[in-house]
Amino acid sequence: MDKIDLSEVCQHYRARVIRITPLDDCYLLETNRGPKELHVWPRVDVMRWSFAWRERLARQGFRVVERFIRTRETKPFLVVGKRGVTMTDHARHIEACEPGTEWAYRCGRVIGMMHLSQQESPILSGIDYLKQEQIGADAKWTKAKAFAEAFRNKHGREPGEKRWVAELMQPMLQRMERSSAMLTHPSITPETVSVSHRELLRDNWGMVKGELYLRGFFRPALSVQQRDVASFLRDHYLTHKDLGQIDAFLDGYEEVKPLTYGDYTVMLAFMARPREVYKSMEAYTRRIANREEASVKAIEQALRIQESVDQLLQHIAYRAEQTRREGVDEPI
């Protein structure tokens, strides 16, 4: 937890602090105005950006999001040294959501509204984050090629599990290359690339007094909005295996913020990355190189996950092709 003078910070707020409890990502404050959370932001620009999109989202009509409480001087946040500090209400009773088509549709609408709010901010550049993703994808592909080549040269002709793993490496590399190439597709234009969170997950949702509640994002890793959507859909499908909920989410999203062919291309690029396969193979080759005991069970599990992801990819690619008819002729 960051070291700041909490007593001095709390004096800026109207609430009288009774007790302070450090948590993993914030301080829980018991005050005469109810429980509050005090968050310390490593980056002030990200805090300012986060304040702006939350306020715009509330003005759009979705107010069930953690908004920043103003200080005695009516400031929405404080800057202490090189860090930012915000206070929000703490919801004690957050119930888990019951996933289903209606829930997915409502989530899609809210995220569409959130992304519209975020893209209005000039504070952070979406194209800069897309370039970071492109550089990162190329770097991982280069790294994968190196360890795959070294492994295949040494163990590619050995019988059994090692040969099987060596044969799996080429399709893995092809997927990584394709994913990297898609991030530079000509249908991706600067005006459609905006900043959001790197990952939107189920943990960001809850129910408070029967209302859908959007929470978190206080120390966000940032990327582009299409990765935000891609991570949510990938995680959601791997959990529920329901393409109907995927369509419901996208239907709700597009009612608020229509997706272009370029948007779908970026989403598919992130989904196409063979995450689990890459990690499991890298770990396996490292153990072999260190002459440690190695099992292919993690690789087998990763391949099963990849089969499910492929089903999702095919479904969204078909949806993207419907969008392609509006302008771009090249298929994904």
Side-chain angles (χ1 to χ4, degrees):
M1 186 62 68
D2 303 79
K3 294 182 179 179
I4 61 173
D5 189 338
L6 291 180
S7 60
E8 180 180 343
V9 167
C10 292
Q11 288 175 10
H12 286 274
Y13 291 92
R14 295 184 184 278
R16 179 170 59 86
V17 177
I18 301 168
R19 182 169 56 252
I20 301 175
T21 304
L23 302 180
D24 290 339
D25 60 349
C26 70
Y27 295 95
L28 176 62
L29 310 181
E30 296 293 343
T31 79
N32 63 326
R33 294 175 179 261
K36 311 295 180 185
E37 292 180 8
L38 198 70
H39 293 269
V40 180
W41 299 72
R43 287 180 54 180
V44 173
D45 59 340
V46 175
M47 176 185 68
R48 294 180 186 275
W49 169 80
S50 188
F51 164 72
W53 73 252
R54 291 165 195 266
E55 292 301 299
R56 291 193 186 100
L57 185 59
R59 288 198 294 271
Q60 290 185 59
F62 186 81
R63 304 179 65 86
V64 195
V65 63
E66 293 155 316
R67 298 170 69 187
F68 301 165
I69 297 171
R70 292 184 178 271
T71 66
R72 294 179 184 274
E73 299 81 20
T74 71
K75 297 178 181 179
F77 46 73
L78 298 171
V79 177
V80 181
K82 296 183 178 180
R83 290 165 293 177
V85 179
T86 60
M87 182 182 286
T88 58
D89 287 318
H90 173 75
R92 289 193 185 278
H93 304 291
I94 303 177
E95 299 178 358
C97 297
E98 289 293 336
T101 302
E102 178 60 26
W103 177 83
Y105 169 79
R106 291 170 63 190
C107 287
R109 282 189 57 84
V110 172
I111 298 308
M113 294 165 66
M114 183 181 77
H115 284 175
L116 277 179
S117 301
Q118 290 169 342
Q119 75 179 23
E120 293 177 16
S121 174
I123 297 175
L124 301 172
S125 169
I127 200 66
D128 289 344
Y129 281 92
L130 179 61
K131 289 177 181 177
Q132 290 180 22
E133 292 289 358
Q134 292 166 346
I135 293 171
D138 286 341
K140 280 192 175 181
W141 180 42
T142 300
K143 181 180 179 181
K145 284 191 294 183
F147 79 69
E149 181 179 4
F151 185 85
R152 288 184 295 187
N153 288 341
K154 188 170 184 179
H155 303 289
R157 296 185 181 276
E158 294 182 21
E161 292 180 346
K162 292 179 182 178
R163 182 171 182 175
W164 177 71
V165 172
E167 291 172 348
L168 290 174
M169 288 182 170
Q170 187 57 33
M172 177 194 69
L173 292 174
Q174 290 173 345
R175 285 175 180 271
M176 296 183 73
E177 181 182 18
R178 183 59 172 157
S179 172
S180 181
M182 289 171 71
L183 287 175
T184 60
H185 195 278
S187 65
I188 304 169
T189 56
E191 60 269 17
T192 63
V193 180
S194 299
V195 178
S196 190
H197 315 102
R198 184 178 295 172
E199 291 189 337
L200 170 71
L201 301 173
R202 286 167 288 165
D203 291 344
N204 296 121
W205 298 100
M207 299 295 294
V208 175
K209 297 180 180 179
E211 292 189 81
L212 191 63
Y213 182 66
L214 185 63
R215 58 179 174 167
F217 313 121
F218 289 105
R219 292 192 178 191
L222 301 180
S223 183
V224 293
Q225 292 180 346
Q226 294 88 346
R227 179 166 180 172
D228 214 17
V229 175
S231 66
F232 177 82
L233 295 182
R234 189 182 191 276
D235 177 66
H236 192 75
Y237 184 70
L238 288 176
T239 302
H240 301 288
K241 302 293 196 302
D242 185 352
L243 292 173
Q245 292 187 41
I246 300 301
D247 280 331
F249 179 96
L250 291 171
D251 288 344
Y253 186 99
E254 294 207 71
E255 280 190 13
V256 177
K257 187 177 184 293
L259 293 166
T260 66
Y261 183 79
D263 289 325
Y264 275 111
T265 302
V266 182
M267 286 166 51
L268 288 167
F270 288 121
M271 290 184 187
R273 291 178 180 173
R275 296 186 197 176
E276 292 82 6
V277 174
Y278 170 81
K279 290 180 180 178
S280 61
M281 285 194 177
E282 183 185 34
Y284 180 86
T285 57
R286 188 188 306 116
R287 294 188 70 85
I288 293 295
N290 293 334
R291 296 183 179 180
E292 300 173 359
E293 184 178 350
S295 169
V296 296
K297 288 184 178 179
I299 297 176
E300 293 171 343
Q301 174 63 21
L303 291 173
R304 288 192 289 270
I305 293 174
Q306 189 62 55
E307 288 179 1
S308 295
V309 173
D310 288 346
Q311 295 171 1
L312 176 62
L313 280 167
Q314 292 172 6
H315 186 78
I316 294 182
Y318 176 80
R319 186 169 177 130
E321 287 300 308
Q322 311 311 305
T323 303
R324 178 182 65 87
R325 297 174 184 176
E326 299 178 5
V328 181
D329 293 326
E330 183 182 344
I332 290 181

